[in-house]
Amino acid sequence: MMNLMTSLIGLGSHLAGWRHRDAWSPTTMSLDNAIHLAKLAERGKLDMLFLADGNAVRQMDDPILFSATSRSDRPAAFEPLTLLAALSQHTSKIGLFATATTTYDEPYLLARRFASLDHLSQGRSCWNIVTGSYAGDAVNFGRVAHVPRAERYNRAREFVEVCKGLWDSWAEDAFIEDKASGRFLDPDRVQRLNHVGKHFSVQGPLNVARMPQGYPVLCTAGQSEAGRELAAEHAELMFSVAQTKAEAQEFYADVKSRMAKYGRPTDSLRILPGVTLYIGRTEAEAEEQFQELQSLILPELGLAYLSRQCQMDLSAYPIDGPLPTMEGEIAGVASYRDSIAAMAHAENLTIRQTYERIVPSLGHVMFKGNPVQIADQMEDWFKGQACDGFNVDMPVVPRSLQDFVDLVVPELQKRGLFRKDYAGGTLRQTMGLATPQRRVFATPTLAAD
């Protein structure tokens, strides 16, 4: 079965989606809107809801983008784990997927927050492990410059290992709570981590009981060499960016081939490329919706957004000339830039044509058409080993999600490609992922202190 998820973004995934007549207004800091989306996605039996995050108000140096806004700005947004904790009380099956950085956080605090969410949701938490793609975050954490990429990934590996160790603090049966004997817990069923490493020194144990899932489902998104290795070693879910099926197939095969050296079967990692869907009851209706949204994009906004994604000022180049060559390391998400550049150069697109292509999908592949056509494209990628499912972006919220749940999901279910109901109660059970076994460390326990 496909794994399907969607983002919890009230603005919509199209750069001008928030301007559409069917879009919510207002969208900023609306718990009611988030609850509505969560219930709608759960009705569609989706695996999970994803909430991206950052630690800065972005693009203030670009007046056009900052005033026009897009989903990447995050000028005002809920802290993900706080919002998902609230949504856990309005849903019962759908996974709750939060972004949290390993660069500007501490393992103990983060492990505690995710363990708390897992208990509150009865086993539906998922962690998007990011090292931080936005250099501007650094100034909010006592730094003048972003941490170099290699150091960020080294810290991330140790960070994840520390979190896993903390989540292994307590055995499932540690808390006896026997009123007759007066024994609240079994001191032999808890252990200290006693971790001392390059980046962290953490004694433990964690002051949260073992979570229903053991660990949250672990996700990564980096497509660099270091990012692929991190996914092969730790991730159970991975985002990917691909403009073509062939590009997606190459990435899928490469990451899966790295897993054996870490003793992991390939089906223990699910790879989900982003896809933006323009859905109509007919092909003509889908095209009409697409063109209407395209008409709402100002050229200066499209150029500014493309420059931001490429991390290169394109205003000095002819807008109807070719996209210039882009090379070298960047502080942000290089996979987006590289995917955009590869598409533009392969198809000889101008700068204008390039932003017209990426704005509707914000760097991801785009599928457009009636429900059968959309399902055909999704099935082709899925059966062609280009993915294990999709992170489905919705151009206009809530209309696009409503159309996906009511029109496309039934078509996928009819083909036997997607579930008709949830299996079990935890996110791991929904996705068919194993529950991690608790590791016991050769360290003194509290009983020996």
Side-chain angles (χ1 to χ4, degrees):
M1 294 285 179
M2 286 183 185
N3 297 117
L4 296 175
M5 56 176 287
T6 192
S7 297
L8 194 64
I9 301 171
L11 289 171
S13 62
H14 189 285
L15 197 61
W18 66 276
R19 298 182 62 196
H20 194 275
R21 62 181 179 277
D22 293 335
W24 272 327
S25 182
T27 63
T28 305
M29 308 297 288
S30 174
L31 177 59
D32 288 341
N33 287 357
I35 292 170
H36 179 93
L37 284 180
K39 290 182 175 181
L40 178 56
E42 188 168 73
R43 181 166 67 79
K45 313 303 180 186
L46 272 63
D47 292 65
M48 65 194 108
L49 286 165
F50 169 56
L51 193 56
D53 194 36
N55 288 289
V57 175
R58 303 183 176 188
Q59 301 175 351
M60 290 186 69
D61 58 338
D62 190 324
I64 295 173
L65 275 180
F66 186 64
S67 63
T69 201
S70 77
R71 71 171 188 172
S72 64
D73 290 336
R74 303 173 195 137
F78 288 104
E79 189 282 317
L81 286 157
T82 304
L83 176 59
L84 294 181
L87 296 183
S88 73
Q89 305 306 297
H90 294 271
T91 56
S92 61
K93 297 292 186 181
I94 196 164
L96 304 170
F97 183 6
T99 296
T101 177
T102 58
T103 302
Y104 302 116
D105 211 325
E106 289 294 323
Y108 191 93
L109 294 173
L110 188 142
R112 189 182 186 201
R113 294 198 300 272
F114 271 101
S116 296
L117 177 62
D118 208 62
H119 280 285
L120 289 170
S121 64
Q122 297 181 314
R124 294 184 283 135
S125 68
C126 181
W127 174 22
N128 181 31
I129 305 164
V130 300
T131 65
S133 62
Y134 183 60
D137 287 356
V139 298
N140 292 325
F141 295 91
R143 293 176 176 269
V144 296
H146 200 21
V147 179
R149 182 185 298 271
E151 183 180 346
R152 295 203 312 269
Y153 274 101
N154 286 335
R155 177 185 167 98
R157 283 193 173 86
E158 186 179 344
F159 194 114
V160 174
E161 282 297 334
V162 172
C163 285
K164 287 181 174 181
L166 289 169
W167 290 323
D168 286 329
S169 294
W170 299 90
E172 291 85 350
D173 58 354
F175 292 91
I176 303 166
E177 298 194 37
D178 183 0
K179 292 182 178 180
S181 67
R183 295 183 71 207
F184 185 78
L185 61 83
D186 183 347
D188 291 321
R189 302 295 281 160
V190 62
Q191 61 186 356
R192 282 180 172 159
L193 178 60
N194 290 327
H195 172 89
V196 178
K198 178 180 178 181
H199 298 280
F200 307 106
S201 176
V202 182
Q203 177 179 271
L206 189 67
N207 61 344
V208 181
R210 185 161 181 83
M211 64 183 75
Q213 292 192 110
Y215 306 156
V217 174
L218 301 177
C219 175
T220 64
Q223 293 190 206
S224 65
E225 181 65 23
R228 295 181 189 213
E229 283 299 313
L230 181 64
E233 183 178 3
H234 288 293
E236 297 161 298
L237 173 67
M238 188 180 193
F239 290 148
S240 66
V241 179
Q243 289 292 330
T244 66
K245 178 183 172 184
E247 185 182 349
Q249 287 171 320
E250 183 281 326
F251 177 79
Y252 184 91
D254 177 69
V255 174
K256 297 272 187 172
S257 71
R258 299 170 186 245
M259 298 176 67
K261 64 185 175 185
Y262 298 108
R264 302 185 62 202
T266 56
D267 65 355
S268 65
L269 169 63
R270 309 296 167 82
I271 298 177
L272 274 59
V275 60
T276 300
L277 303 183
Y278 290 86
I279 307 162
R281 286 166 177 77
T282 65
E283 184 176 1
E285 184 177 287
E287 183 64 28
E288 181 183 0
Q289 178 194 150
F290 175 76
Q291 294 300 336
E292 185 176 9
L293 284 166
Q294 291 293 86
S295 71
L296 297 175
I297 305 168
L298 299 173
E300 56 268 31
L301 177 60
L303 180 62
Y305 184 77
L306 179 60
S307 296
R308 180 67 62 179
Q309 292 300 305
C310 295
Q311 293 201 29
M312 179 179 184
D313 184 4
L314 299 172
S315 61
Y317 296 87
I319 194 169
D320 292 311
L323 187 72
T325 300
M326 288 171 283
E327 298 176 342
E329 184 172 305
I330 59 175
V333 183
S335 56
Y336 279 98
R337 179 200 66 177
D338 296 344
S339 180
I340 292 166
M343 174 193 69
H345 295 146
E347 300 182 33
N348 295 316
L349 301 179
T350 66
I351 290 175
R352 186 195 305 272
Q353 290 170 329
T354 302
Y355 79 63
E356 287 176 343
R357 286 283 294 275
I358 71 161
V359 164
S361 61
L362 297 182
H364 294 294
V365 69
M366 179 181 70
F367 295 161
K368 181 172 57 174
N370 61 44
V372 172
Q373 292 170 320
I374 296 288
D376 284 345
Q377 294 173 89
M378 295 176 75
E379 181 175 8
D380 181 51
W381 278 49
F382 179 65
K383 289 188 173 179
Q385 294 190 314
C387 64
D388 296 305
F390 297 93
N391 176 24
V392 184
D393 286 328
M394 304 300 170
V396 179
V397 177
R399 170 183 167 173
S400 299
L401 182 57
Q402 185 81 48
D403 288 344
F404 182 69
V405 167
D406 290 341
L407 302 176
V408 178
V409 167
E411 181 65 27
L412 295 172
Q413 291 170 332
K414 184 173 71 174
R415 301 180 187 203
L417 296 171
F418 191 60
R419 71 179 66 86
K420 293 186 177 180
D421 205 352
Y422 290 100
T426 72
L427 178 57
R428 290 183 175 277
Q429 290 170 329
T430 293
M431 298 184 69
L433 295 171
T435 299
Q437 296 298 307
R438 177 177 179 253
R439 299 170 298 171
V440 178
F441 308 121
T443 56
T445 67
L446 291 182
D449 288 350

